[in-house]
Structure formats: C-alpha cells, structure tokens
Amino acid sequence: MVGSVVLSMAPDEKFTMLSNGTGLNKTVIDTVARDAARVMVSGTLSFLIGIIQLLLGIFQIGFIVRYLADPLVGGFTTAAAFQVFVSQVKTLLNVPTKNYNGVLSIIYTIIDIFANIGKTNIADLIAGLLTLLVCIVVKELNDRYKHIIKVPIPIEVLVTIVATGISYGANLEQKYNAGIVKKIPNGFIPPMTPDVSLFQEMIGSAFSIGIVAYAVAVSVGKVYATKHNYAINGNQEFIAFGISNLFSGAFSCFCATTALSRTAVQESTGGKTQIAGIISAFIVLIAIVALGRLLEPLQKSVLAAIVIANLKGMFWQVFDVPRLWRQNKWDSVIWVFTCIASIILGLDLGLLAGLVFGLLTLVLRVQFPSCGALGNVPGTELYKEVKTYKTVVEPEGIKIVRFTSGIFYGNIDGLKSGIKKIVGFDAVRIFNKRTKALRKINKLIKKGQLRATKNGIISDVGTDNEGFEPDDDDIEDPEKEQNTEVKEVEIQVDWNSELPITVSVPKVSIHSLIFDFGQISFLDVVAVRSLKVIYKEFKRIDVDVYIAACDDHVYKKFEDCLFFDDQIKPDIFFMTIHDAVLYIEDKRKYNEGHDPFMEKISLMQESKEPLEYTNIEPTNDELDAQEEALRRLAS
C-alpha cells in the first residue's frame, strides 16, 4: 500500500533527464533524485499515518477491535501466512519472478514460480531444505521437552551463524550463483522534516493504511493474546503505533505495523514480553551499525527457510475450521470467507471484505432468528422448547412463543411468520372468515331459517338448511372482508361449535397467547407498532395476548412508543411465564364456574328461611294505563 502511494507521487517520469555521454542525446532517469524523493514521500506518509493513529487512540476509536472476531482474525492471519509462505518459496528456490501488487497478486506470483521452476538454484534449494528440516526438528524438541529444557535452543541464531560461515568459506555465490544478502548499508539516514505540502494529496491513503496497519497488528496480536492469556487494548495499540510512526517518520522510516514472519520467529524462540522487543531492536541496531558486513555472505534461502519453519503455528489454524463448523456454522463461514478473500484480493481488501461479511452475518442472524413454542417441564416452573424437550407439556388452550433476538423492522415479518406457524392459523384470515359467516347468519335470521338466542345461534327444529343459496355478495372479496367491522353484527356465536351454514370457518384451538420476551434485547418503533397490531388481531378473534419476562428497558420502549391505549393495558405484562399461565388458568376457571343465574338458584336452595317477596304498589299512572288497556280489550 505504501509502495503504490510512493510510485503514484514519485513516478519515474518526473525524474527523466537528457544524457549525451556517447555523443547522442537520450533520456535517462535520475535515480539519485528519484530515490531521495521517494524516501521523502515514504517518511512523510509514515508521519501523517502516525498523526492519524495517535488521534484515533486519543479519541478512543480503538473499540473497532471488538469487530475483529476470532474467526475473522484466524482466517486473515492464515491468509497472511500463506502470502508470506509464497513470497519465501520464491526466495528459497531463487527463481526470477515479477513483483505484483493488488488483487490476484499472489496468484500471479504462484504462476511465475511454476513457470520458472526449471531455473531453480540447486545450492539455494539444498541449503533452504536443510535449514527447514533442522529448524522444524529442533523446534519440535523444544516444544516436546520444554519441561526439561528450561531455555529453548535458539536454533535460528545457530543456523544463521553456521550458514553464513559455510557460504563464506565455500564461496557459494561465485561457484553456484547462490543468492546472498550482499551489501547491507551501515548507519542511519539523518533526520528530516516531513513535507507538509504533501499531506493533502496523501490524506486518504494515509487513513486507509493506518487502519489496515492497525488491524493487521491487532489481528496478529489477538492470536498470541489468546495463546498466552492476555488482553489487547485497542486504544493503547493506536497510541503506540501513532507515536512510533510519528517518531520514525522523521527518520525516513517505513510505516510500522506487525511483521507476521518476524513475530512468529520471536514468539517461537521464547519471547514473551517487551524485553524481547528491546533485545531484538538492540541487535538490529548493532547489525545496522557494525555487524551488517558479517551477514553479507548469508544465503537468502536460509532466511526464507527460517521464516517458513516459524509459520507452522499459523497454518495449524486451518484445523479450527471443522471445530468451528460443529460449534457455529456462521463462524466457520466467516473464517473461510476472510481467508479466501485475503488471498485473492490482498490483505488490505481481504480484511475489509471479511469485516463487512462478518457484520453482514450479524444482520442475517438477527433477521432470521429462531422462533419456537414452549412447554412446561412437569412439576416445575420451567418452560422449554417443545421440539427439543419431548417430555414438556403445553398448557391446554395456551401457546407460548419465544423469540430469540431483538425485534426490529428487518425481522418483524419473521416474527409474524413464526407466530402463524406455532399457533397453526392466521388471525386475520380467521377474522375475515368469521365476518363473512356473520353476514350469512344475519341473512338466514331475516329469512326465518335461523333463530338467534342470547348465547348463540340455533336453527329451527327440523330445518336442515338445504335450500340455502349463496347471494352474489357472498363471494370472497379480500378488501371488503378486511374493511368489515364486527359492530355490524350484534349476535354472539360459539365459533368452535357446528355452524348451520355452508361456510368454512377454521376453529381456533387456543384462548391465550404468551410471548416470552426474556431474550429480547431491543425493540424499535416498527416492532412496537407491529406488536400492537398483532395484539389487536388476536384479541378480535377472542384470543388474549400476554407478554412475560420483559426487561425494564424493553418495557420502557413500549411506553415511549405509545403501545398502551384504551384496549391494551399494562396488566398484560407478567414477571415470568409461569405467572402468566397461572393467571390465565385462574381466570378461565372463574369464568367457566361463574354464572349469576345459577348462583341465585343455589342461594335459594341453601336458604332455610322462606324467601321474602316484596309487594310493590303500582303508581296512579300505571293504574290508569291498565284501565285504559282493559277498556280497549272490552270494546
């Protein structure tokens, strides 16, 4: 990413000049001026990235580390390890390849490696394979016998020293054309003042690089934090990298972030604290100042083999995928998607794609949550899902619905569908059918084919209603049915009995519906309005609706969104499901056993004293009315 910025702001075309050394004018590139300009761009970019990271840390933006979930980090670091592996393989084989950046760069590199596999340098290949074998074996011994070997064998240091001596003594570069480190510059570049005029041109790139550099560092850090049982502070990381890049930008340094390969080497050699970083920095300082020349004969394939040997732990993360699939399929998909995206698109775009995909899965998970029916565990006050627990019993005439997510505009349709599936009917359709049936009953009453009583509808004795013919307006019209009001009909019908009309009215087997809100974490305005509609749809078909185990802040949302009105009262809320069930059962027993007329007869039978009859004297107006009625009858 830094390279693309440097090449765009300091291309070769800006540093062309005419040369006439051979008597002919030709265009050449002033490499000295070009390299100086590119160093300035790189240092200025690092300085600006440091400012951005420091500000993000001060303003506590480090919370974004929470969205770097373990499956995302695992997939990303595995992809990063694969990219490092490919880049080191071409060094180990010492085959010529082009430098690619951006989308599919790793694929192009692999194609180049196989296209030039015949040009492999045998000396580098043998040195690399021997180094790889020795490092893997010694590391395995360090790990297996760590209870005996208190200090791990520093095999990387030993291999580097031995390989440098062999390369120097055998003169591998001259005899076998081996690829060696060659010249290592000594000393530091003097400090410089960043070119502030470039800030405006590179601000966008600086922000994206700063975020990606932070994300890469935190991703790798979380892997080792999990391994060694410590926590990552996102804001602290932002501030640390910000200060580092601010300081290093003044010394023409590259933008700092985590180097996966060197981190793996340091961790595998036993480094656990910042002291290991200080020691590494001190050794690098010595190498820059004095030891650089001693490492010049070292073969690059040896360094590549050391890096590959230390990537084993990263590649072993692949075995997490089957475990994640068994535990949570969504996490497994996130891991695989992030890994593939990072390999194909590159680490920067792949990380962004994985992060967006992870957030998308969250939306999908809350948009399609599970909705199940609950039953009572016999002898307890516990309620479990009927599908999972076969011994639970659903209360008679009561359906208990549990929704396992916050309710918002995106999943309210899923809630409605889940309710219909659990109760076994559509409340709106039932209401429309009943309204249509009531219109037909009214017509039959007017024709004298049905008799209306106080408690319901009965047909005349001997009437089988075979001559009934539907009128034209009996044809179902959804809009007409939807707009029909119950108040048009004043009679009451027992809808679960056999109706004396040729109309299909599905029977409703429940009288109460309980929503378990114990797992509802939030509601929005659309959800509250929809729940209000659901309540009224069930209420008008004589199904009472109750809400149980509602959290305080969710209840307050009901109040804020004007859920309560003349019809919906706060007394439909209960602390637990069992409280709601007991209330419904007591209410049903009272209504079924409470008949005022029968109570009056019972009191008359139980009374031992004769009943007192009250004589009411008629008034003068009533007597006059009676006399007038008698005279009319007589005439």
Side-chain angles (χ1 to χ4, degrees):
M1 296 177 73
V2 174
S4 63
V5 176
V6 169
L7 291 177
S8 64
M9 297 185 67
D12 290 340
E13 292 77 12
K14 283 188 176 183
F15 304 95
T16 57
M17 62 180 184
L18 294 176
S19 174
N20 55 0
T22 60
L24 298 174
N25 292 332
K26 65 177 182 178
T27 303
V28 296
I29 298 174
D30 186 355
T31 56
V32 176
R34 181 199 63 186
D35 292 347
R38 289 181 174 178
V39 169
M40 172 63 74
V41 171
S42 176
T44 302
L45 181 62
S46 177
F47 189 84
L48 181 57
I49 291 171
I51 294 175
I52 294 172
Q53 290 178 327
L54 185 60
L55 290 176
L56 292 175
I58 292 173
F59 289 107
Q60 304 290 300
I61 310 298
F63 68 86
I64 64 174
V65 71
R66 302 172 188 170
Y67 297 100
L68 299 176
D70 290 344
L72 185 146
V73 170
F76 174 77
T77 51
T78 303
F82 180 74
Q83 289 214 358
V84 171
F85 173 78
V86 172
S87 66
Q88 299 304 319
V89 164
K90 69 178 183 180
T91 304
L92 187 144
L93 299 176
N94 193 13
V95 293
T97 61
K98 295 180 181 180
N99 291 324
Y100 298 100
N101 289 307
V103 178
L104 298 178
S105 60
I106 194 71
I107 306 299
Y108 295 141
T109 302
I110 294 173
I111 293 174
D112 272 5
I113 291 174
F114 281 100
N116 298 301
I117 195 74
K119 300 178 181 179
T120 300
N121 187 289
I122 302 300
D124 285 330
L125 177 61
I126 293 173
L129 292 178
L130 288 174
T131 302
L132 183 63
L133 179 63
V134 170
C135 287
I136 290 176
V137 171
V138 175
K139 282 183 173 296
E140 189 67 26
L141 293 174
N142 282 340
D143 187 57
R144 181 168 298 185
Y145 299 103
K146 58 185 176 182
H147 59 286
I148 299 175
I149 307 173
K150 301 301 181 182
V151 179
I153 301 173
I155 188 61
E156 290 84 3
V157 176
L158 298 178
V159 166
T160 301
I161 295 172
V162 172
T164 302
I166 292 174
S167 176
Y168 178 78
N171 196 12
L172 297 179
E173 181 191 16
Q174 297 296 329
K175 292 183 178 180
Y176 303 102
N177 196 27
I180 62 174
V181 176
K182 294 185 178 179
K183 185 177 181 181
I184 299 178
N186 293 330
F188 290 98
I189 297 177
M192 67 168 191
T193 302
D195 190 352
V196 181
S197 62
L198 300 176
F199 280 5
Q200 184 177 359
E201 190 175 351
M202 62 175 60
I203 181 67
S205 298
F207 184 83
S208 60
I209 294 173
I211 295 297
V212 172
Y214 167 81
V216 171
V218 171
S219 298
V220 177
K222 289 185 72 173
V223 171
Y224 293 107
T226 303
K227 184 176 181 179
H228 296 286
N229 300 317
Y230 63 89
I232 295 290
N233 186 328
N235 296 312
Q236 178 177 295
E237 298 298 316
F238 258 136
I239 293 173
F241 277 109
I243 295 175
S244 298
N245 286 321
L246 271 174
F247 182 78
S248 60
F251 286 86
S252 305
C253 292
F254 201 77
C255 173
T257 187
T258 295
L260 179 61
S261 57
R262 285 178 284 280
T263 303
V265 170
Q266 180 163 288
E267 190 273 339
S268 63
T269 54
K272 295 183 179 179
T273 67
Q274 289 88 339
I275 300 299
I278 293 175
I279 294 175
S280 297
F282 183 71
I283 293 175
V284 171
L285 176 63
I286 295 175
I288 291 174
V289 174
L291 297 182
R293 293 186 60 186
L294 299 178
L295 297 174
E296 289 178 0
L298 178 63
Q299 288 176 273
K300 292 180 181 179
S301 61
V302 173
L303 295 176
I306 292 173
V307 171
I308 293 173
N310 284 281
L311 292 176
K312 184 186 76 171
M314 291 295 177
F315 284 124
W316 252 234
Q317 293 180 123
V318 174
F319 296 106
D320 291 342
V321 176
R323 176 181 59 82
L324 289 173
W325 182 260
R326 293 190 299 269
Q327 295 174 351
N328 190 320
K329 292 180 174 56
W330 281 113
D331 289 340
S332 177
V333 172
I334 291 173
W335 196 104
V336 174
F337 178 87
T338 305
C339 183
I340 294 175
S342 299
I343 291 174
I344 295 176
L345 303 178
L347 295 182
D348 49 354
L349 294 179
L351 178 64
L352 178 61
L355 182 61
V356 172
F357 182 77
L359 295 176
L360 180 61
T361 61
L362 290 178
V363 175
L364 294 176
R365 275 185 265 189
V366 297
Q367 188 170 357
F368 302 104
S370 61
C371 185
L374 303 184
N376 177 249
V377 179
T380 70
E381 298 181 2
L382 301 177
Y383 291 82
K384 296 293 183 180
E385 285 202 16
V386 175
K387 286 185 177 180
T388 307
Y389 299 88
K390 304 302 181 183
T391 58
V392 299
V393 179
E394 292 187 273
E396 185 178 357
I398 302 174
K399 285 290 183 180
I400 305 170
V401 179
R402 170 177 288 170
F403 202 58
T404 58
S405 171
I407 307 176
F408 67 109
Y409 65 90
N411 63 9
I412 191 64
D413 290 335
L415 172 63
K416 293 178 180 178
S417 300
I419 293 173
K420 291 177 186 178
K421 184 177 180 181
I422 290 172
V423 301
F425 59 84
D426 184 351
V428 176
R429 183 171 176 271
I430 295 291
F431 174 74
N432 292 337
K433 287 288 186 180
R434 289 185 178 183
T435 304
K436 178 182 175 182
L438 286 173
R439 287 204 306 270
K440 291 184 178 181
I441 290 172
N442 268 336
K443 292 178 182 179
L444 293 176
I445 291 174
K446 291 178 182 179
K447 292 178 181 180
Q449 296 177 350
L450 286 181
R451 235 173 349 108
T453 65
K454 178 181 177 181
N455 296 324
I457 300 298
I458 60 172
S459 61
D460 286 339
V461 179
T463 302
D464 56 7
N465 199 24
E466 292 179 354
F468 171 72
E469 295 181 358
D471 297 330
D472 294 338
D473 57 4
D474 288 336
I475 300 174
E476 294 188 17
D477 186 352
E479 293 186 4
K480 186 174 181 181
E481 291 179 353
Q482 186 69 29
N483 297 327
T484 305
E485 299 290 341
V486 183
K487 64 182 180 182
E488 294 179 3
V489 183
E490 297 179 355
I491 55 179
Q492 296 180 357
V493 180
D494 181 5
W495 295 105
N496 289 324
S497 63
E498 294 296 329
L499 298 178
I501 53 174
T502 57
V503 63
S504 174
V505 180
K507 295 181 181 180
V508 178
S509 59
I510 65 172
H511 53 73
S512 301
L513 178 64
I514 302 175
F515 291 132
D516 175 19
F517 268 36
Q519 298 184 14
I520 303 298
S521 57
F522 67 92
L523 296 171
D524 66 357
V525 176
V526 176
V528 175
R529 290 176 182 172
S530 300
L531 288 170
K532 192 170 185 177
V533 171
I534 292 171
Y535 176 91
K536 293 186 176 181
E537 286 175 353
F538 279 97
K539 191 67 178 176
R540 65 186 182 180
I541 62 171
D542 303 321
V543 176
D544 296 325
V545 179
Y546 302 93
I547 297 176
C550 181
D551 196 74
D552 290 342
H553 76 275
V554 176
Y555 181 83
K556 189 176 184 303
K557 180 63 68 174
F558 278 109
E559 293 181 327
D560 295 341
C561 296
L562 305 178
F563 178 74
F564 302 107
D565 55 21
D566 295 336
Q567 186 177 1
I568 306 177
K569 304 296 182 182
D571 57 7
I572 67 171
F573 285 80
F574 289 86
M575 295 294 292
T576 65
I577 300 174
H578 198 63
D579 290 339
V581 172
L582 293 178
Y583 171 81
I584 294 169
E585 291 177 347
D586 290 343
K587 180 181 177 182
R588 297 291 296 182
K589 289 178 182 178
Y590 176 78
N591 290 339
E592 291 174 359
H594 183 69
D595 188 337
F597 182 71
M598 293 303 295
E599 286 183 2
K600 191 177 224 181
I601 295 177
S602 177
L603 288 172
M604 291 171 62
Q605 291 175 344
E606 292 177 1
S607 177
K608 296 181 180 180
E609 299 179 0
L611 295 174
E612 296 181 359
Y613 296 92
T614 304
N615 294 325
I616 302 175
E617 296 292 338
T619 61
N620 292 332
D621 293 338
E622 291 175 345
L623 290 175
D624 293 340
Q626 292 177 4
E627 290 176 359
E628 180 65 25
L630 289 173
R631 281 197 299 270
R632 289 180 180 177
L633 288 172
S635 62

